[in-house]
Amino acid sequence: MSASPLSYWLASAPPFMGGAEGGVDGSADVAIIGGGFTGLSAALALAKRGASVVLLEAGQVVGEASGRNGGQCNNGTAHDYGALSAKFGKPVAKAWYRAHCDAVDTVERLAREEGIDCNFTRCGRVKLAAKPAHYDKLARAHDLLAAEVDENVRLVPPERIREEVGSDAFHGALIQTTSAQIHPARFGVGLAEAAARAGARIYEGAEVTGLDRTADGWRVTSSRGIVSAKQVLVATGGAPAAAPFGFFRRRIVSVGSFVVATEPLDDGLIDRLLPGRRNYVTSKNIGNYFRLAPDNRLIFGGRARFAISDPRSDMKSGRILEDTLGAIFPALKGVGIDHVWGGMVDLTADRLPRAGETDGLYYSMGYSGHGVQMATHMGQQMARVMSGEPDANPWGHLDWPSVPGHFGKPWFLPLVGLWYKWQDVIH
């Protein structure tokens, strides 16, 4: 496979031009650690509220998960709504489902208000039944969602599945029609430029290595200098190895998700295979997600292997994805692959996001595969929380125990992968 190892999104986004010059020094009302969607959204909201904001990013803005995902901006939770309702009660399940719908609205609002050219489109999300029994589950989910929390859902019976996807691999589908898609790296760079225009100082290449309490806040040490801040928001996603982030490192499990981008496809072929040009996700535990890019490339991803993303792992996973793509769409067997990349999905043990405050540090992370919309939304919400509105956090009442035996590198990923593969076999 001869393909670029750079994320298609990052390769086709403009550079961020609003970064702060010189070293980090002085003081701020808020220091934000992490320049992905959460941190940038929070920086924009806080700066517009009049706060002085310093954002510290170890690499480049949106260089990690925010620029390496599938570009889907979907409503709906990572969990089945009925299962959430049974476990936590109907009011809580409704609130969490609606928070994800609100999150898509937040992305749309910010793109519109800040004039961000990111190809935001309300295309709908299609959950494809990989087995006949999966369609039965989707039908039950549809009925419950339509009755209780989301009238914008539609069921596609097996005999009509080719109206949505030109493949014999699926047995019906559930469509959440208000889901959207964006060019995530263009959106992220646009957020960064907007935050900088609003007055936030954004430092790239500023890895945080120390967090120390002071009489009136925090002393934040980075590779580009030191800043004093009254409040700190940790928006790192997967917890860095540095000592200050041990609390989060024991609670977040980062697992690789891998993506390929094909060469641009012919319109006629797309009309046959993906006539609705929507977002697509399959119903298996180790499944796939795909959509078209603005230039007609198919963006096709999945957890091809339970492994960490690195250049070698990305290429190995890319070959698996290429084979899977050909199996689902025989017409695409042998299609040119122009980009192969990976990124880290930050999971909590129960796959519910976590946001709040611990030991004086604010945080929001663990979006478990729904970060495009929820990270953006939670940046806005945490700005409200940090400004004195604690009820703005929909996840604030959740406890967050550490993952037993987990202190950094997730040694147990191969075992988890085997368990999920077995679940896909028997269910």
Short mmCIF file of all heavy atoms in Angstrom, two decimals, residues 87-149:
data_model
loop_
_atom_site.label_atom_id
_atom_site.label_comp_id
_atom_site.label_asym_id
_atom_site.label_seq_id
_atom_site.Cartn_x
_atom_site.Cartn_y
_atom_site.Cartn_z
N LYS A 87 -31.00 1.50 33.19
CA LYS A 87 -29.97 1.57 34.22
C LYS A 87 -30.02 2.85 35.04
O LYS A 87 -29.86 2.83 36.27
CB LYS A 87 -28.58 1.43 33.58
CG LYS A 87 -27.45 1.41 34.60
CD LYS A 87 -26.11 1.11 33.93
CE LYS A 87 -25.00 1.05 34.98
NZ LYS A 87 -23.68 0.72 34.36
N PHE A 88 -30.26 3.99 34.38
CA PHE A 88 -30.16 5.28 35.05
C PHE A 88 -31.50 5.98 35.24
O PHE A 88 -31.56 7.00 35.92
CB PHE A 88 -29.22 6.21 34.28
CG PHE A 88 -27.80 5.74 34.23
CD1 PHE A 88 -27.31 5.07 33.12
CD2 PHE A 88 -26.95 5.97 35.30
CE1 PHE A 88 -26.00 4.63 33.08
CE2 PHE A 88 -25.63 5.54 35.26
CZ PHE A 88 -25.15 4.87 34.14
N GLY A 89 -32.55 5.45 34.62
CA GLY A 89 -33.85 6.09 34.68
C GLY A 89 -34.12 6.92 33.44
O GLY A 89 -33.21 7.45 32.80
N LYS A 90 -35.41 7.03 33.10
CA LYS A 90 -35.80 7.71 31.87
C LYS A 90 -35.38 9.19 31.82
O LYS A 90 -34.88 9.66 30.80
CB LYS A 90 -37.31 7.58 31.67
CG LYS A 90 -37.81 8.04 30.31
CD LYS A 90 -39.31 7.90 30.19
CE LYS A 90 -39.74 6.45 30.26
NZ LYS A 90 -41.20 6.30 30.00
N PRO A 91 -35.56 9.96 32.91
CA PRO A 91 -35.17 11.38 32.83
C PRO A 91 -33.69 11.57 32.52
O PRO A 91 -33.33 12.44 31.72
CB PRO A 91 -35.53 11.92 34.22
CG PRO A 91 -36.61 11.01 34.72
CD PRO A 91 -36.25 9.66 34.18
N VAL A 92 -32.83 10.76 33.14
CA VAL A 92 -31.39 10.89 32.88
C VAL A 92 -31.06 10.47 31.46
O VAL A 92 -30.31 11.15 30.75
CB VAL A 92 -30.59 10.04 33.90
CG1 VAL A 92 -29.11 9.98 33.50
CG2 VAL A 92 -30.73 10.61 35.30
N ALA A 93 -31.62 9.35 31.00
CA ALA A 93 -31.35 8.89 29.63
C ALA A 93 -31.80 9.93 28.61
O ALA A 93 -31.09 10.19 27.62
CB ALA A 93 -32.06 7.56 29.38
N LYS A 94 -32.96 10.53 28.84
CA LYS A 94 -33.44 11.58 27.93
C LYS A 94 -32.48 12.77 27.92
O LYS A 94 -32.16 13.32 26.85
CB LYS A 94 -34.83 12.05 28.36
CG LYS A 94 -35.97 11.15 27.94
CD LYS A 94 -37.30 11.80 28.30
CE LYS A 94 -38.48 10.97 27.82
NZ LYS A 94 -39.78 11.62 28.15
N ALA A 95 -32.03 13.17 29.10
CA ALA A 95 -31.14 14.33 29.20
C ALA A 95 -29.83 14.06 28.45
O ALA A 95 -29.31 14.94 27.74
CB ALA A 95 -30.86 14.66 30.65
N TRP A 96 -29.30 12.86 28.58
CA TRP A 96 -28.04 12.54 27.90
C TRP A 96 -28.24 12.45 26.40
O TRP A 96 -27.40 12.91 25.63
CB TRP A 96 -27.47 11.23 28.45
CG TRP A 96 -26.90 11.37 29.83
CD1 TRP A 96 -26.60 12.54 30.49
CD2 TRP A 96 -26.56 10.32 30.72
NE1 TRP A 96 -26.09 12.26 31.73
CE2 TRP A 96 -26.04 10.92 31.90
CE3 TRP A 96 -26.62 8.93 30.64
CZ2 TRP A 96 -25.60 10.17 32.98
CZ3 TRP A 96 -26.19 8.17 31.72
CH2 TRP A 96 -25.68 8.79 32.88
N TYR A 97 -29.33 11.86 25.96
CA TYR A 97 -29.59 11.78 24.53
C TYR A 97 -29.75 13.19 23.94
O TYR A 97 -29.17 13.51 22.89
CB TYR A 97 -30.84 10.95 24.26
CG TYR A 97 -31.07 10.63 22.80
CD1 TYR A 97 -30.63 9.42 22.26
CD2 TYR A 97 -31.69 11.54 21.94
CE1 TYR A 97 -30.82 9.13 20.91
CE2 TYR A 97 -31.87 11.25 20.59
CZ TYR A 97 -31.44 10.05 20.10
OH TYR A 97 -31.61 9.77 18.76
N ARG A 98 -30.50 14.01 24.63
CA ARG A 98 -30.72 15.38 24.13
C ARG A 98 -29.45 16.21 24.18
O ARG A 98 -29.27 17.12 23.36
CB ARG A 98 -31.86 16.03 24.92
CG ARG A 98 -33.22 15.44 24.54
CD ARG A 98 -34.34 15.92 25.42
NE ARG A 98 -35.63 15.40 24.94
CZ ARG A 98 -36.71 15.24 25.70
NH1 ARG A 98 -36.65 15.57 26.99
NH2 ARG A 98 -37.83 14.76 25.20
N ALA A 99 -28.57 15.91 25.15
CA ALA A 99 -27.28 16.62 25.18
C ALA A 99 -26.50 16.34 23.90
O ALA A 99 -25.83 17.24 23.36
CB ALA A 99 -26.48 16.19 26.40
N HIS A 100 -26.57 15.11 23.39
CA HIS A 100 -25.88 14.80 22.14
C HIS A 100 -26.54 15.51 20.95
O HIS A 100 -25.84 15.93 20.02
CB HIS A 100 -25.84 13.28 21.91
CG HIS A 100 -24.80 12.59 22.73
ND1 HIS A 100 -24.97 12.32 24.07
CD2 HIS A 100 -23.57 12.10 22.40
CE1 HIS A 100 -23.88 11.71 24.53
NE2 HIS A 100 -23.04 11.56 23.54
N CYS A 101 -27.84 15.62 20.97
CA CYS A 101 -28.52 16.39 19.91
C CYS A 101 -28.14 17.87 20.00
O CYS A 101 -27.87 18.52 18.98
CB CYS A 101 -30.03 16.22 20.03
SG CYS A 101 -30.64 14.53 19.78
N ASP A 102 -28.12 18.40 21.24
CA ASP A 102 -27.70 19.79 21.44
C ASP A 102 -26.27 19.99 20.94
O ASP A 102 -25.92 21.07 20.44
CB ASP A 102 -27.77 20.16 22.92
CG ASP A 102 -29.20 20.23 23.45
OD1 ASP A 102 -30.14 20.31 22.63
OD2 ASP A 102 -29.36 20.20 24.69
N ALA A 103 -25.43 18.96 21.11
CA ALA A 103 -24.03 19.08 20.71
C ALA A 103 -23.89 19.29 19.20
O ALA A 103 -23.05 20.07 18.75
CB ALA A 103 -23.26 17.85 21.15
N VAL A 104 -24.70 18.59 18.41
CA VAL A 104 -24.67 18.80 16.97
C VAL A 104 -25.10 20.23 16.64
O VAL A 104 -24.51 20.90 15.78
CB VAL A 104 -25.57 17.77 16.24
CG1 VAL A 104 -25.54 18.00 14.73
CG2 VAL A 104 -25.11 16.35 16.56
N ASP A 105 -26.12 20.71 17.35
CA ASP A 105 -26.56 22.10 17.17
C ASP A 105 -25.44 23.09 17.51
O ASP A 105 -25.30 24.13 16.86
CB ASP A 105 -27.78 22.40 18.04
CG ASP A 105 -29.02 21.62 17.63
OD1 ASP A 105 -29.06 21.11 16.48
OD2 ASP A 105 -29.94 21.52 18.46
N THR A 106 -24.67 22.76 18.55
CA THR A 106 -23.56 23.64 18.95
C THR A 106 -22.52 23.74 17.85
O THR A 106 -22.02 24.84 17.54
CB THR A 106 -22.90 23.13 20.24
OG1 THR A 106 -23.84 23.22 21.32
CG2 THR A 106 -21.66 23.94 20.60
N VAL A 107 -22.17 22.61 17.23
CA VAL A 107 -21.21 22.63 16.12
C VAL A 107 -21.74 23.50 14.98
O VAL A 107 -21.02 24.35 14.44
CB VAL A 107 -20.92 21.20 15.63
CG1 VAL A 107 -20.07 21.22 14.36
CG2 VAL A 107 -20.23 20.39 16.72
N GLU A 108 -23.01 23.31 14.64
CA GLU A 108 -23.60 24.10 13.56
C GLU A 108 -23.58 25.59 13.90
O GLU A 108 -23.24 26.43 13.06
CB GLU A 108 -25.03 23.63 13.29
CG GLU A 108 -25.69 24.38 12.15
CD GLU A 108 -27.09 23.88 11.85
OE1 GLU A 108 -27.79 23.46 12.81
OE2 GLU A 108 -27.50 23.91 10.67
N ARG A 109 -23.96 25.92 15.14
CA ARG A 109 -24.00 27.33 15.55
C ARG A 109 -22.62 27.98 15.48
O ARG A 109 -22.48 29.09 14.95
CB ARG A 109 -24.55 27.44 16.98
CG ARG A 109 -24.49 28.86 17.56
CD ARG A 109 -25.07 28.92 18.96
NE ARG A 109 -24.34 28.10 19.92
CZ ARG A 109 -23.19 28.46 20.51
NH1 ARG A 109 -22.63 29.63 20.20
NH2 ARG A 109 -22.62 27.67 21.39
N LEU A 110 -21.61 27.31 16.00
CA LEU A 110 -20.26 27.89 16.00
C LEU A 110 -19.73 28.05 14.58
O LEU A 110 -19.10 29.06 14.25
CB LEU A 110 -19.32 27.01 16.83
CG LEU A 110 -19.54 27.05 18.34
CD1 LEU A 110 -18.65 26.04 19.04
CD2 LEU A 110 -19.30 28.45 18.89
N ALA A 111 -19.98 27.06 13.73
CA ALA A 111 -19.54 27.17 12.33
C ALA A 111 -20.20 28.37 11.66
O ALA A 111 -19.55 29.13 10.92
CB ALA A 111 -19.86 25.89 11.58
N ARG A 112 -21.49 28.57 11.95
CA ARG A 112 -22.22 29.69 11.35
C ARG A 112 -21.76 31.02 11.93
O ARG A 112 -21.44 31.97 11.19
CB ARG A 112 -23.72 29.51 11.56
CG ARG A 112 -24.58 30.63 10.94
CD ARG A 112 -26.05 30.42 11.23
NE ARG A 112 -26.36 30.55 12.65
CZ ARG A 112 -26.72 29.53 13.44
NH1 ARG A 112 -26.81 28.31 12.94
NH2 ARG A 112 -26.98 29.73 14.72
N GLU A 113 -21.70 31.13 13.26
CA GLU A 113 -21.36 32.40 13.91
C GLU A 113 -19.94 32.85 13.59
O GLU A 113 -19.69 34.05 13.43
CB GLU A 113 -21.52 32.27 15.42
CG GLU A 113 -22.96 32.18 15.90
CD GLU A 113 -23.07 32.01 17.41
OE1 GLU A 113 -22.03 31.84 18.08
OE2 GLU A 113 -24.21 32.06 17.92
N GLU A 114 -19.02 31.90 13.49
CA GLU A 114 -17.62 32.25 13.28
C GLU A 114 -17.21 32.18 11.81
O GLU A 114 -16.05 32.41 11.48
CB GLU A 114 -16.71 31.35 14.12
CG GLU A 114 -17.02 31.38 15.61
CD GLU A 114 -16.91 32.77 16.21
OE1 GLU A 114 -16.14 33.60 15.68
OE2 GLU A 114 -17.60 33.05 17.21
N GLY A 115 -18.16 31.86 10.94
CA GLY A 115 -17.87 31.81 9.51
C GLY A 115 -16.82 30.76 9.15
O GLY A 115 -15.95 30.99 8.31
N ILE A 116 -16.93 29.58 9.77
CA ILE A 116 -15.95 28.52 9.54
C ILE A 116 -16.37 27.67 8.35
O ILE A 116 -17.44 27.06 8.35
CB ILE A 116 -15.80 27.63 10.79
CG1 ILE A 116 -15.39 28.48 12.00
CG2 ILE A 116 -14.79 26.52 10.55
CD1 ILE A 116 -15.38 27.72 13.31
N ASP A 117 -15.52 27.61 7.35
CA ASP A 117 -15.78 26.83 6.14
C ASP A 117 -15.38 25.38 6.41
O ASP A 117 -14.22 25.00 6.21
CB ASP A 117 -14.99 27.41 4.97
CG ASP A 117 -15.19 26.63 3.68
OD1 ASP A 117 -16.13 25.80 3.63
OD2 ASP A 117 -14.40 26.83 2.73
N CYS A 118 -16.33 24.58 6.87
CA CYS A 118 -16.01 23.20 7.26
C CYS A 118 -16.98 22.19 6.68
O CYS A 118 -17.06 21.06 7.15
CB CYS A 118 -15.99 23.08 8.79
SG CYS A 118 -17.59 23.44 9.58
N ASN A 119 -17.76 22.61 5.66
CA ASN A 119 -18.67 21.69 4.96
C ASN A 119 -19.69 21.05 5.90
O ASN A 119 -20.04 19.87 5.75
CB ASN A 119 -17.90 20.59 4.24
CG ASN A 119 -16.86 21.12 3.27
OD1 ASN A 119 -15.67 21.12 3.57
ND2 ASN A 119 -17.31 21.60 2.12
N PHE A 120 -20.17 21.81 6.89
CA PHE A 120 -21.20 21.26 7.78
C PHE A 120 -22.45 20.93 6.96
O PHE A 120 -22.98 21.76 6.23
CB PHE A 120 -21.57 22.27 8.87
CG PHE A 120 -22.61 21.75 9.83
CD1 PHE A 120 -22.24 21.15 11.02
CD2 PHE A 120 -23.97 21.86 9.54
CE1 PHE A 120 -23.19 20.66 11.91
CE2 PHE A 120 -24.93 21.36 10.42
CZ PHE A 120 -24.53 20.75 11.61
N THR A 121 -22.93 19.68 7.10
CA THR A 121 -24.09 19.22 6.34
C THR A 121 -24.93 18.30 7.22
O THR A 121 -24.41 17.36 7.82
CB THR A 121 -23.65 18.42 5.09
OG1 THR A 121 -22.75 19.20 4.31
CG2 THR A 121 -24.85 18.05 4.24
N ARG A 122 -26.22 18.56 7.28
CA ARG A 122 -27.15 17.66 7.98
C ARG A 122 -27.53 16.53 7.03
O ARG A 122 -28.46 16.62 6.25
CB ARG A 122 -28.41 18.43 8.40
CG ARG A 122 -28.18 19.50 9.43
CD ARG A 122 -28.28 18.95 10.84
NE ARG A 122 -28.21 20.03 11.83
CZ ARG A 122 -28.36 19.86 13.13
NH1 ARG A 122 -28.60 18.65 13.61
NH2 ARG A 122 -28.27 20.88 13.96
N CYS A 123 -26.78 15.44 7.14
CA CYS A 123 -26.94 14.35 6.18
C CYS A 123 -27.66 13.14 6.76
O CYS A 123 -28.17 12.29 6.03
CB CYS A 123 -25.57 13.90 5.70
SG CYS A 123 -24.48 13.36 7.04
N GLY A 124 -27.71 13.02 8.10
CA GLY A 124 -28.29 11.84 8.73
C GLY A 124 -27.25 10.75 8.94
O GLY A 124 -26.29 10.60 8.17
N ARG A 125 -27.45 9.98 9.99
CA ARG A 125 -26.57 8.86 10.31
C ARG A 125 -27.34 7.56 10.15
O ARG A 125 -28.43 7.39 10.67
CB ARG A 125 -26.08 8.96 11.75
CG ARG A 125 -25.31 7.75 12.26
CD ARG A 125 -25.37 7.75 13.78
NE ARG A 125 -24.51 6.76 14.40
CZ ARG A 125 -24.93 5.91 15.31
NH1 ARG A 125 -26.19 5.89 15.69
NH2 ARG A 125 -24.09 5.06 15.87
N VAL A 126 -26.75 6.62 9.40
CA VAL A 126 -27.37 5.33 9.14
C VAL A 126 -26.64 4.26 9.95
O VAL A 126 -25.45 4.03 9.74
CB VAL A 126 -27.30 4.97 7.64
CG1 VAL A 126 -28.03 3.65 7.38
CG2 VAL A 126 -27.89 6.08 6.79
N LYS A 127 -27.35 3.63 10.88
CA LYS A 127 -26.77 2.49 11.59
C LYS A 127 -27.21 1.23 10.86
O LYS A 127 -28.41 0.92 10.79
CB LYS A 127 -27.20 2.44 13.05
CG LYS A 127 -26.47 1.34 13.83
CD LYS A 127 -26.57 1.52 15.32
CE LYS A 127 -25.67 0.52 16.05
NZ LYS A 127 -25.69 0.70 17.51
N LEU A 128 -26.25 0.50 10.33
CA LEU A 128 -26.51 -0.63 9.43
C LEU A 128 -26.49 -1.94 10.21
O LEU A 128 -25.51 -2.23 10.92
CB LEU A 128 -25.44 -0.66 8.34
CG LEU A 128 -25.44 0.55 7.39
CD1 LEU A 128 -24.09 0.69 6.70
CD2 LEU A 128 -26.57 0.44 6.37
N ALA A 129 -27.54 -2.73 10.08
CA ALA A 129 -27.63 -4.02 10.76
C ALA A 129 -26.73 -5.03 10.05
O ALA A 129 -26.97 -5.41 8.90
CB ALA A 129 -29.07 -4.52 10.77
N ALA A 130 -25.68 -5.49 10.76
CA ALA A 130 -24.74 -6.44 10.17
C ALA A 130 -25.27 -7.86 10.18
O ALA A 130 -24.74 -8.72 9.48
CB ALA A 130 -23.41 -6.37 10.91
N LYS A 131 -26.32 -8.12 10.98
CA LYS A 131 -26.95 -9.43 11.05
C LYS A 131 -28.47 -9.22 11.11
O LYS A 131 -28.92 -8.17 11.58
CB LYS A 131 -26.50 -10.20 12.29
CG LYS A 131 -25.02 -10.56 12.32
CD LYS A 131 -24.69 -11.36 13.57
CE LYS A 131 -23.23 -11.77 13.61
NZ LYS A 131 -22.92 -12.59 14.81
N PRO A 132 -29.25 -10.21 10.67
CA PRO A 132 -30.71 -10.05 10.77
C PRO A 132 -31.19 -9.75 12.18
O PRO A 132 -32.09 -8.92 12.38
CB PRO A 132 -31.24 -11.40 10.27
CG PRO A 132 -30.17 -11.90 9.33
CD PRO A 132 -28.87 -11.45 9.94
N ALA A 133 -30.59 -10.39 13.18
CA ALA A 133 -31.00 -10.15 14.57
C ALA A 133 -30.72 -8.72 14.99
O ALA A 133 -31.42 -8.16 15.85
CB ALA A 133 -30.31 -11.13 15.51
N HIS A 134 -29.69 -8.10 14.40
CA HIS A 134 -29.37 -6.72 14.74
C HIS A 134 -30.48 -5.77 14.27
O HIS A 134 -30.74 -4.75 14.91
CB HIS A 134 -28.04 -6.31 14.12
CG HIS A 134 -26.85 -7.02 14.70
ND1 HIS A 134 -25.56 -6.66 14.40
CD2 HIS A 134 -26.76 -8.06 15.57
CE1 HIS A 134 -24.72 -7.45 15.05
NE2 HIS A 134 -25.44 -8.31 15.75
N TYR A 135 -31.11 -6.12 13.15
CA TYR A 135 -32.22 -5.28 12.69
C TYR A 135 -33.37 -5.30 13.68
O TYR A 135 -34.01 -4.27 13.93
CB TYR A 135 -32.72 -5.74 11.31
CG TYR A 135 -33.93 -4.95 10.87
CD1 TYR A 135 -33.80 -3.63 10.45
CD2 TYR A 135 -35.21 -5.51 10.92
CE1 TYR A 135 -34.91 -2.88 10.07
CE2 TYR A 135 -36.32 -4.77 10.53
CZ TYR A 135 -36.17 -3.46 10.12
OH TYR A 135 -37.27 -2.72 9.76
N ASP A 136 -33.64 -6.45 14.27
CA ASP A 136 -34.71 -6.52 15.28
C ASP A 136 -34.41 -5.58 16.43
O ASP A 136 -35.32 -4.91 16.96
CB ASP A 136 -34.85 -7.96 15.79
CG ASP A 136 -35.29 -8.93 14.69
OD1 ASP A 136 -35.90 -8.46 13.70
OD2 ASP A 136 -35.00 -10.13 14.81
N LYS A 137 -33.16 -5.51 16.84
CA LYS A 137 -32.77 -4.59 17.92
C LYS A 137 -32.93 -3.14 17.48
O LYS A 137 -33.40 -2.29 18.25
CB LYS A 137 -31.33 -4.85 18.34
CG LYS A 137 -31.11 -6.18 19.04
CD LYS A 137 -29.65 -6.35 19.43
CE LYS A 137 -29.41 -7.69 20.11
NZ LYS A 137 -27.97 -7.88 20.46
N LEU A 138 -32.56 -2.86 16.24
CA LEU A 138 -32.71 -1.50 15.72
C LEU A 138 -34.18 -1.10 15.65
O LEU A 138 -34.54 0.06 15.92
CB LEU A 138 -32.06 -1.38 14.35
CG LEU A 138 -30.53 -1.48 14.30
CD1 LEU A 138 -30.06 -1.35 12.85
CD2 LEU A 138 -29.87 -0.42 15.16
N ALA A 139 -35.04 -2.05 15.29
CA ALA A 139 -36.48 -1.75 15.21
C ALA A 139 -37.03 -1.41 16.59
O ALA A 139 -37.82 -0.46 16.74
CB ALA A 139 -37.23 -2.94 14.60
N ARG A 140 -36.61 -2.17 17.61
CA ARG A 140 -37.06 -1.86 18.97
C ARG A 140 -36.52 -0.50 19.43
O ARG A 140 -37.22 0.28 20.07
CB ARG A 140 -36.61 -2.97 19.93
CG ARG A 140 -37.34 -4.29 19.70
CD ARG A 140 -37.12 -5.24 20.86
NE ARG A 140 -35.72 -5.64 21.02
CZ ARG A 140 -35.17 -6.67 20.40
NH1 ARG A 140 -35.88 -7.41 19.56
NH2 ARG A 140 -33.90 -6.97 20.61
N ALA A 141 -35.25 -0.24 19.08
CA ALA A 141 -34.66 1.06 19.44
C ALA A 141 -35.40 2.20 18.76
O ALA A 141 -35.67 3.24 19.39
CB ALA A 141 -33.18 1.08 19.06
N HIS A 142 -35.75 2.01 17.49
CA HIS A 142 -36.49 3.04 16.76
C HIS A 142 -37.80 3.36 17.45
O HIS A 142 -38.15 4.54 17.65
CB HIS A 142 -36.75 2.56 15.34
CG HIS A 142 -37.78 3.37 14.62
ND1 HIS A 142 -39.13 3.06 14.65
CD2 HIS A 142 -37.68 4.50 13.86
CE1 HIS A 142 -39.80 3.95 13.95
NE2 HIS A 142 -38.95 4.82 13.46
N ASP A 143 -38.54 2.34 17.82
CA ASP A 143 -39.86 2.57 18.42
C ASP A 143 -39.75 3.33 19.73
O ASP A 143 -40.55 4.24 20.01
CB ASP A 143 -40.56 1.22 18.64
CG ASP A 143 -40.92 0.54 17.33
OD1 ASP A 143 -40.87 1.20 16.27
OD2 ASP A 143 -41.23 -0.67 17.37
N LEU A 144 -38.74 2.98 20.54
CA LEU A 144 -38.57 3.65 21.83
C LEU A 144 -38.10 5.09 21.65
O LEU A 144 -38.61 6.01 22.30
CB LEU A 144 -37.56 2.87 22.68
CG LEU A 144 -37.45 3.27 24.16
CD1 LEU A 144 -38.80 3.11 24.86
CD2 LEU A 144 -36.38 2.43 24.85
N LEU A 145 -37.15 5.29 20.75
CA LEU A 145 -36.66 6.65 20.49
C LEU A 145 -37.78 7.54 19.97
O LEU A 145 -37.97 8.67 20.44
CB LEU A 145 -35.52 6.62 19.48
CG LEU A 145 -34.18 6.07 19.95
CD1 LEU A 145 -33.24 5.87 18.77
CD2 LEU A 145 -33.54 7.02 20.96
N ALA A 146 -38.52 7.04 19.01
CA ALA A 146 -39.60 7.84 18.41
C ALA A 146 -40.67 8.18 19.43
O ALA A 146 -41.25 9.28 19.40
CB ALA A 146 -40.21 7.09 17.23
N ALA A 147 -40.94 7.26 20.35
CA ALA A 147 -41.99 7.49 21.33
C ALA A 147 -41.55 8.43 22.45
O ALA A 147 -42.38 9.16 23.00
CB ALA A 147 -42.42 6.15 21.94
N GLU A 148 -40.24 8.44 22.78
CA GLU A 148 -39.83 9.13 24.00
C GLU A 148 -38.91 10.33 23.80
O GLU A 148 -38.99 11.28 24.58
CB GLU A 148 -39.14 8.13 24.95
CG GLU A 148 -40.08 7.06 25.48
CD GLU A 148 -39.44 6.22 26.58
OE1 GLU A 148 -38.27 6.49 26.93
OE2 GLU A 148 -40.12 5.31 27.07
N VAL A 149 -38.03 10.29 22.79
CA VAL A 149 -37.00 11.33 22.84
C VAL A 149 -36.58 11.89 21.48
O VAL A 149 -36.00 12.95 21.41
CB VAL A 149 -35.75 10.77 23.59
CG1 VAL A 149 -34.99 9.76 22.74
CG2 VAL A 149 -34.84 11.88 24.07
#
